[in-house]
Amino acid sequence: MALEEKREKRPPVTPMMIEEEAALRNGSRGGLPSGPWAEAAGPRPRTTERHIAVHKRLVLVFAVSILALLAVTMIAVLLSVRFEECGAAADGPPRAGGNGSFSGAARQPPGVGQPPGRPEEEEARGGEATAEEKQEEEEEEEWQRRRELPPWARPRLPRHLRPLHYNLMLSAFMENFTFSGEVNVQLEVRNASRYIVLHAHRMHIEAVRVAEDKLAGGVRVARSFLYPQTQVFVVVLNRSLEVQRSYNLKILYNALIENELLGFFRSSYVLHGERRFLGVTQFSPTHARKAFPCFDEPIYKATFKISIRHQATYLSLSNMPVETSVFEEDGWVTDHFSQTPLMSTYYLAWAVCNFTYRETVTKSGVVVRLYARPDAIRRGSGDYALNITRRLIEFYEDYFKVPYSLPKLDLLAVPKHPYAAMENWGLSVFVEQRILLDPSISSISYLLDVTMVIVHELCHQWFGDLVTPVWWEDVWLKEGFAHYFEFVGTDYLYPGWNMEKQRFLTDVLHEVMLLDGLASSHPVSQEVQQATDIDRVFDWIAYKKGAALIRMLANFMGHSVFQMGLQDYLTIHKYGNAARNDLWNTLSKALKRVGKSVNIQEVMDQWTLQMGYPVITILGNETTDNVIVISQERFVYDSDAKPKDPALGDNSYLWQIPLTIAVGNTSHISSEAIIWVSNKSEHHRIPALEEASWLLGNINQTGYFRVNYDIRNWRLLINQLTRNHEVISVSNRAGLIDDAFNLARAGYLPQNIPLEIIRYLSEEKDFLPWHAASRALYPLDKLLDRTENYNIFNEYILRQVASMYLKLGWPTNNLNKSLVQASYQHEELRREVIMLACSFGNKHCHQQAATLISDWISSNRNRIPLNVRDIVYCTGVSLMDEDVWEFIWMKFHSTTAVSEKKILLEALTCSDDRNLLNRLLNLSLNSEVVLDQDAIDVIIHVARNPHGRDLAWKFFREKWKILNARYGEALFMNSKLISGVTEFLNTEEELRELKNFIKSYEEGAAASFSRAVETVEANVRWQRLYKEELFQWLRKSLTH
């Protein structure tokens, strides 16, 4: 789009906080502010022309000469000023309105504050330091003498100021992707200081002013500067701010609407052959500072009044509804939004787009809208999300007994976003793949993904937005709860799916235990000192381990008491901040109210402040009847791995463990009893423990730990599964499978035990144990898929799958969506078995996939059943020729359905053709072809393909600088990439390559690389110690 002159016009002035600026509040472009800012902001008075009556010619000539001289001087000055303005406009984005009216604009150190991506220019001073630079040096020397860091060099903001309210006016120029801003912050002074330190990063500061409250005058600014090392802006005043007084800080600035994924960034989509752009924000955890100067820490809650000026062809959105819109003659409009409640900066949000929407209203009157591309809205792709959002708000209001706090909730579906979604209060942003759903081409799996992301983000409107963690060390207080409620909320929508009791195990518990079983893991609550540490805490430990600990807590407290405690916690801390001890205290009080006395803090501190988790070992006492020995130790996959903290060996770890236990025999299992295990080893008497009885620990896997038994008990459990598996609950059948595979992988069990357990699966009709087996087999498969004896393992798995594959068959096309709830378990079981059959080479499965792909190509009608499309696409690309790959590639480009686009792209990574895999890897970095957030998935899926693992690993190393620049700041995107590319490397040579690579590129992602090294070391160790043992048993088993 061509640049237009109107973008250079002064935007309407921001409404001010103080009464003296009432003229500015009215939005008048020509109005003059009153009060302490009048002198600084008003234009200079023009000289009045005087008609002087003179009668003497000499006086007249003299006067004319003087006037001529003044006129020449004024012209010269004006030309000089105009020259400087032109130069400034050429150097950076359009400047915030009113810059010329401010005297004493903030000084920038050389190169600091330049718009991002612009060349830095240093003013020539003839080599002599200015007075301000000398003053700066003297101040730094003074701080050094005190042996203190200056307030701007500290990792956290100084505590002497507190923001009360922000008035923020933005002008978005979508033609050249820049924006200008004016922010007014009302500050409360807690301790006297002459420094104002707040966050600002990658922006150009135009001017800064400080005014005292009410009728007092301004406070003179001695100097101001950006300090990039800690991403702060520093205002040094001539005198100290007085305690218990409030002041107004006004900053004019401008910056770019970046082509990246954080801060205020841009995205685009194509409609009717035309590329359209939008601007959207992603501030969590520390990127609000890229969009406006602010106190960018969660403890600094304030109210916000946002105004956004944009071209009338766009609309703007923010956390609150639009209060008024002011239209201008030149085709621009300013939207003024209602004031927010108290909130933190990281979930403030806005967007400038030309989307359309559909809306609904909850029983309590909350207006819910879903905004998306016009074609997606027209197709009804957002209707499912909109309808369940209304129901979920009503569910949470009833469960928490705390009303939703804002008048509206907008759901915004954007093409490009670093995460699945972001819970901005009142304006939640979703990547299209996690909210848009076309019922005619979306599988049950895809519907489940969309559902759970929405449930997660809506929970954050209470846990995170209404009640916010004090600091990022307790990020799990919001992410753990939101992840746990994904399953509780989905159970509300689909009661027959049993998400919290069943699917939680495979998708959360089993998955996070893989990560938390590494010596390089970290506690769920970990110390965070500086900005670089913050990204590190946003990982699956915070999300999934946090959720698993909350589930364990809910189960040993009792769900009704737990719910009552959460209601109290939200009521007490709403609109404020809370730490983990606040939660523990509230839950302990809830227990006391029902006559139970458990010190929740004492129990849970061991789980949240220690990394890892225990393995409980239960041994039958050979000498004493009905007595068992229960011991605990830290579970770790590689016992040779060096602990993260050498001072804390694995023997130092101790937990208070709520171990539930039951006794069973061939036809019956007893009711569970709870034993609190708090010592390294304990003896316990178990009644009715007969010789043929078996023990089962961690009933329904509600606890966050693994359970091991003596070999005799394992044999009894295996026999029970073979004879009558239904005596043991579905959840425990899945738990036994997962525990056995992982205990064997870590060397606690012989390698044959897990493979013997899964023999019973031919009779298993429930989805969950199959899903647990599939997930447990996957890493074992990747350890073996490049070995010469792989076919032995492959044949064994096919034998276990064959009979159930024949029983279930293939689904018919066009699954009736009204039957989704009733058929979910059956359809997911069928899908799991077909996936295993095709993955391990069942001939019938391969033929069926090839037939379905061929029919699609020949008829150009896709009759492949929705729930297995991804399996068929991948299998077809793997088995068939290059023409099939090209066909899938063409369909990927032509489809507009986001769910279909995702599985088509992933199918391309399944090829056996290394040239095609290399081509795809190189195309993945082209943002016009593959969206930035999808490129990571392409690289990871190629790495999972045995034909592409070395290609992806080589590509990763060669393109690391590009990848790190693109994803380095985005939460856990880098760690996801590093883990995905390296987790199945398993040779000595690959381990050496990894270590050498890390030495070459030490900067960034240190924790992720540390985990990667430990994982690969464990893989190499397993190959060395256990691979042959496994193959020997498999050979024997296949010959019998």
Side-chain angles (χ1 to χ4, degrees):
M1 189 181 294
L3 298 179
E4 297 176 30
E5 278 300 310
K6 60 175 172 279
R7 70 180 175 83
E8 294 290 343
K9 292 182 181 179
R10 171 183 171 133
V13 184
T14 311
M16 296 305 202
M17 275 298 299
I18 54 178
E19 293 175 8
E20 292 75 20
E21 293 178 304
L24 294 187
R25 254 200 302 272
N26 294 330
S28 169
R29 289 163 82 83
L32 297 179
S34 59
W37 297 52
E39 188 177 346
R44 295 178 182 178
R46 299 169 61 188
T47 306
T48 306
E49 295 181 9
R50 299 179 183 180
H51 298 282
I52 305 171
V54 295
H55 302 287
K56 293 185 179 180
R57 188 178 182 84
L58 184 61
V59 174
L60 181 59
V61 171
F62 180 76
V64 170
S65 302
I66 293 298
L67 287 171
L69 182 61
L70 286 171
V72 170
T73 304
M74 288 177 69
I75 289 168
V77 169
L78 287 169
L79 285 172
S80 171
V81 169
R82 180 61 185 159
F83 177 79
E84 288 177 6
E85 288 176 349
C86 291
D91 285 344
R95 301 193 167 201
N99 175 41
S101 65
F102 280 79
S103 61
R107 186 184 73 79
Q108 308 297 325
V112 175
Q114 295 294 330
R118 309 296 188 203
E120 297 176 355
E121 297 179 4
E122 185 170 351
E123 210 177 301
R125 300 186 190 83
E128 299 223 357
T130 65
E132 287 181 348
E133 284 176 332
K134 288 177 180 175
Q135 184 183 355
E136 221 173 298
E137 289 173 7
E138 288 171 5
E139 283 188 10
E140 287 178 3
E141 289 173 4
E142 174 61 26
W143 286 106
Q144 287 173 4
R145 279 195 295 274
R146 293 188 201 173
R147 295 185 178 180
E148 285 183 61
L149 283 172
W152 54 86
R154 297 169 193 168
R156 298 280 298 273
L157 292 178
R159 294 289 180 259
H160 62 274
L161 297 175
R162 182 167 75 96
L164 302 176
H165 178 79
Y166 293 82
N167 228 323
L168 178 60
M169 168 69 193
L170 301 163
S171 292
F173 305 99
M174 296 301 294
E175 324 94 302
N176 66 349
F177 307 120
T178 63
F179 70 102
S180 61
E182 176 186 309
V183 63
N184 295 269
V185 192
Q186 185 184 355
L187 301 172
E188 178 186 76
V189 181
R190 292 174 167 180
N191 296 299
S193 175
R194 53 187 289 261
Y195 301 104
I196 298 175
V197 183
L198 71 166
H199 290 106
H201 188 45
R202 294 172 67 172
M203 62 180 58
H204 182 73
I205 304 294
E206 295 279 358
V208 59
R209 286 290 179 274
V210 179
E212 213 166 333
D213 61 343
K214 302 301 179 188
L215 300 177
V219 181
R220 189 177 167 196
V221 174
R223 62 191 180 91
S224 61
F225 59 92
L226 285 160
Y227 190 72
Q229 293 92 323
T230 50
Q231 302 179 356
V232 296
F233 178 58
V234 184
V235 181
V236 184
L237 304 171
N238 269 14
R239 65 175 174 86
S240 290
L241 301 177
E242 297 176 33
V243 178
Q244 295 183 342
R245 297 290 295 272
S246 73
Y247 296 80
N248 189 278
L249 170 67
K250 178 175 183 175
I251 300 172
L252 305 180
Y253 66 99
N254 53 57
L256 298 179
I257 303 173
E258 296 280 9
N259 185 23
E260 53 173 47
L261 296 167
L262 300 167
F264 185 20
F265 68 94
R266 66 184 186 264
S267 182
S268 69
Y269 62 98
V270 176
L271 185 66
H272 307 310
E274 175 194 355
R275 183 162 292 280
R276 296 188 176 188
F277 290 91
L278 62 140
V280 66
T281 58
Q282 171 56 41
F283 290 163
S284 178
T286 58
H287 304 287
R289 64 194 66 176
K290 293 179 180 176
F292 67 108
C294 58
F295 293 77
D296 200 11
E297 293 179 6
I299 192 67
Y300 290 114
K301 287 199 166 187
T303 54
F304 293 81
K305 191 84 167 60
I306 308 288
S307 298
I308 302 176
R309 180 175 177 263
H310 56 84
Q311 290 164 302
T313 50
Y314 290 86
L315 61 86
S316 68
L317 302 169
S318 190
N319 304 78
M320 298 295 287
V322 173
E323 206 169 52
T324 59
S325 293
V326 179
F327 291 86
E328 302 171 21
E329 293 180 0
D330 56 2
W332 287 69
V333 61
T334 302
D335 293 323
H336 299 281
F337 294 88
S338 300
Q339 182 171 303
T340 71
L342 285 170
M343 61 184 291
S344 305
T345 51
Y346 79 83
Y347 51 92
L348 190 73
W350 61 79
V352 178
C353 59
N354 41 28
F355 284 173
T356 53
Y357 69 88
R358 288 190 183 175
E359 80 172 35
T360 186
V361 182
T362 70
K363 291 175 183 175
S364 58
V366 178
V367 177
V368 183
R369 288 181 176 177
L370 187 142
Y371 287 84
R373 291 177 284 114
D375 54 324
I377 292 293
R378 193 165 51 250
R379 285 199 307 269
S381 299
D383 291 356
Y384 173 76
L386 189 66
N387 290 331
I388 67 167
T389 297
R390 173 180 50 78
R391 293 178 60 198
L392 286 165
I393 290 175
E394 292 164 358
F395 162 71
Y396 281 128
E397 287 183 324
D398 179 63
Y399 187 99
F400 296 138
K401 300 300 184 216
V402 175
Y404 176 74
S405 305
L406 304 182
K408 62 94 174 176
L409 174 60
D410 294 333
L411 313 176
L412 179 65
V414 297
K416 183 174 80 170
H417 199 264
Y419 317 119
M422 176 60 204
E423 70 267 16
N424 309 309
W425 210 1
L427 177 57
S428 292
V429 180
F430 297 75
V431 69
E432 289 179 336
Q433 292 172 355
R434 290 293 188 267
I435 193 167
L436 300 183
L437 182 148
D438 188 334
S440 65
I441 54 173
S442 297
S443 66
I444 296 176
S445 299
Y446 185 79
L447 178 141
L448 180 61
D449 285 347
V450 167
T451 301
M452 296 186 79
V453 170
I454 294 169
V455 176
H456 180 109
E457 301 310 323
L458 290 184
C459 180
H460 274 314
Q461 305 294 307
W462 283 264
F463 281 92
D465 296 353
L466 183 64
V467 179
T468 309
V470 170
W471 183 235
W472 298 111
E473 65 188 8
D474 282 331
V475 71
W476 70 272
L477 275 179
K478 71 184 189 77
E479 297 301 347
F481 272 102
H483 209 58
Y484 172 68
F485 273 97
E486 283 182 33
F487 297 83
V488 177
T490 305
D491 274 340
Y492 166 76
L493 296 171
Y494 300 103
W497 288 14
N498 291 321
M499 298 296 292
E500 190 270 339
K501 287 184 171 59
Q502 294 187 16
R503 192 69 182 255
F504 185 95
L505 304 184
T506 52
D507 292 12
V508 179
L509 184 66
H510 299 171
E511 187 170 329
V512 74
M513 281 181 153
L514 290 169
L515 181 62
D516 207 21
L518 299 174
S520 56
S521 185
H522 62 79
V524 73
S525 288
Q526 57 176 326
E527 191 174 7
V528 175
Q529 289 291 349
Q530 51 198 8
T532 52
D533 294 332
I534 294 169
D535 291 351
R536 182 167 44 83
V537 302
F538 281 85
D539 64 2
W540 285 143
I541 298 294
Y543 283 67
K544 292 181 182 285
K545 182 175 180 177
L549 295 180
I550 288 164
R551 179 173 177 265
M552 179 172 74
L553 182 59
N555 276 278
F556 78 68
M557 283 183 67
H559 285 273
S560 60
V561 181
F562 176 72
Q563 181 180 353
M564 183 171 62
L566 295 188
Q567 292 168 358
D568 294 343
Y569 170 79
L570 290 171
T571 302
I572 293 166
H573 298 288
K574 62 185 177 183
Y575 303 111
N577 299 82
R580 59 182 176 273
N581 286 349
D582 297 315
L583 177 64
W584 306 150
N585 292 337
T586 307
L587 294 178
S588 292
K589 288 175 183 176
L591 276 172
K592 279 184 182 177
R593 290 202 332 242
V594 295
K596 295 180 182 177
S597 182
V598 177
N599 187 330
I600 298 291
Q601 181 178 342
E602 184 181 314
V603 173
M604 295 307 295
D605 274 356
Q606 292 179 323
W607 294 95
T608 58
L609 302 180
Q610 291 184 121
M611 71 175 80
Y613 56 88
V615 52
I616 286 278
T617 302
I618 302 174
L619 301 175
N621 193 317
E622 299 284 332
T623 58
T624 311
D625 289 343
N626 297 341
V627 173
I628 59 172
V629 179
I630 303 174
S631 61
Q632 64 164 294
E633 63 178 296
R634 184 188 174 195
F635 177 91
V636 65
Y637 282 102
D638 186 354
S639 57
D640 297 333
K642 295 176 182 176
K644 198 170 185 180
D645 182 358
L648 189 64
D650 288 342
N651 291 330
S652 304
Y653 287 84
L654 202 62
W655 290 267
Q656 290 191 52
I657 303 168
L659 173 65
T660 48
I661 198 165
V663 179
N665 55 37
T666 53
S667 60
H668 176 262
I669 187 169
S670 69
S671 56
E672 66 186 72
I674 187 167
I675 298 171
W676 281 92
V677 180
S678 54
N679 299 303
K680 282 290 178 188
S681 182
E682 300 179 0
H683 289 71
H684 290 273
R685 182 173 295 279
I686 304 295
L689 186 59
E690 299 169 359
E691 187 168 339
S693 300
W694 40 262
L695 285 163
L696 187 65
N698 197 13
I699 304 304
N700 295 321
Q701 279 211 301
T702 56
Y704 185 70
F705 48 88
R706 297 197 185 280
V707 182
N708 194 10
Y709 309 93
D710 54 48
I711 292 298
R712 177 179 171 277
N713 200 73
W714 276 113
R715 289 284 173 210
L716 288 168
L717 288 168
I718 290 169
N719 289 337
Q720 182 66 57
L721 290 171
T722 304
R723 291 180 180 181
N724 182 6
H725 60 269
E726 292 184 349
V727 169
I728 299 172
S729 72
V730 172
S731 300
N732 273 118
R733 300 200 297 269
L736 284 169
I737 291 169
D738 186 71
D739 276 351
F741 271 97
N742 286 281
L743 288 165
R745 185 177 169 188
Y748 292 88
L749 265 184
Q751 299 300 304
N752 59 296
I753 294 293
L755 294 173
E756 289 189 49
I757 285 178
I758 64 171
R759 279 175 167 166
Y760 96 94
L761 285 176
S762 58
E763 300 300 320
E764 178 61 80
K765 296 175 184 177
D766 279 291
F767 161 68
L768 191 71
W770 275 101
H771 194 47
S774 178
R775 281 177 172 259
L777 284 166
Y778 188 76
L780 183 58
D781 177 63
K782 296 306 167 190
L783 282 173
L784 299 172
D785 64 8
R786 295 183 294 173
T787 60
E788 58 182 282
N789 293 317
Y790 175 69
N791 63 309
I792 301 173
F793 173 72
N794 195 76
E795 186 181 344
Y796 181 82
I797 301 304
L798 278 178
R799 285 191 184 184
Q800 315 314 313
V801 174
S803 62
M804 187 58 70
Y805 173 74
L806 289 173
K807 284 179 191 174
L808 295 171
W810 279 67
T812 56
N813 198 16
N814 300 325
L815 178 70
N816 187 339
K817 288 297 173 181
S818 65
L819 301 177
V820 164
Q821 179 153 333
S823 63
Y824 163 75
Q825 295 282 353
H826 181 75
E827 288 303 319
E828 286 295 273
L829 170 61
R830 192 205 317 254
R831 168 187 162 77
E832 200 74 53
V833 172
I834 289 172
M835 184 171 65
L836 284 167
C838 276
S839 297
F840 285 95
N842 179 285
K843 288 181 181 178
H844 181 271
C845 194
H846 281 186
Q847 289 167 359
Q848 183 72 6
T851 300
L852 288 166
I853 288 280
S854 298
D855 174 68
W856 183 20
I857 293 172
S858 61
S859 67
N860 203 28
R861 288 186 60 199
N862 192 342
R863 289 185 274 256
I864 302 169
L866 300 177
N867 220 35
V868 293
R869 278 192 178 179
D870 56 337
I871 301 168
V872 172
Y873 293 173
C874 181
T875 305
V877 167
S878 172
L879 294 174
M880 302 168 81
D881 59 22
E882 186 176 339
D883 289 343
V884 173
W885 195 95
E886 295 290 354
F887 176 79
I888 298 291
W889 177 249
M890 177 193 70
K891 290 295 183 183
F892 164 71
H893 282 286
S894 62
T895 186
T896 55
V898 291
S899 59
E900 187 75 355
K901 215 171 186 68
K902 180 178 185 291
I903 62 174
L904 286 166
L905 182 61
E906 289 178 0
L908 294 166
T909 69
C910 299
S911 176
D912 290 357
D913 188 325
R914 291 168 63 83
N915 291 326
L916 291 174
L917 293 176
N918 258 330
R919 175 181 162 194
L920 185 62
L921 286 170
N922 287 312
L923 285 167
S924 70
L925 292 185
N926 184 340
S927 298
E928 296 295 315
V929 178
V930 177
L931 291 171
D932 288 354
Q933 68 265 15
D934 294 337
I936 286 179
D937 291 328
V938 169
I939 300 166
I940 290 173
H941 278 80
V942 172
R944 290 174 179 171
N945 182 340
H947 301 281
R949 192 162 305 148
D950 62 318
L951 300 178
W953 173 224
K954 182 172 180 283
F955 181 81
F956 171 85
R957 284 174 288 161
E958 290 175 350
K959 305 295 184 183
W960 169 246
K961 287 187 177 179
I962 296 170
L963 294 166
N964 193 40
R966 183 188 282 191
Y967 303 115
E969 281 193 284
L971 300 179
F972 64 77
M973 290 187 83
N974 246 5
S975 61
K976 176 185 174 182
L977 176 62
I978 292 165
S979 170
V981 170
T982 62
E983 64 181 329
F984 299 125
L985 302 178
N986 54 39
T987 67
E988 294 281 3
E989 177 59 27
E990 288 168 338
L991 179 58
R992 273 194 301 273
E993 288 172 351
L994 175 59
K995 289 180 176 178
N996 289 337
F997 174 75
I998 294 170
K999 286 178 185 174
S1000 304
Y1001 296 97
E1002 289 182 352
E1003 76 283 350
S1008 299
F1009 279 124
S1010 177
R1011 284 194 297 270
V1013 168
E1014 186 185 345
T1015 300
V1016 178
E1017 284 176 340
N1019 292 345
V1020 171
R1021 176 177 176 268
W1022 186 91
Q1023 295 268 1
R1024 186 178 69 250
L1025 296 178
Y1026 305 118
K1027 182 177 70 174
E1028 278 312 309
E1029 177 191 332
L1030 178 74
F1031 279 133
Q1032 283 177 15
W1033 184 86
L1034 286 170
R1035 287 189 193 96
K1036 281 184 185 178
S1037 177
L1038 289 170
T1039 55
H1040 284 92

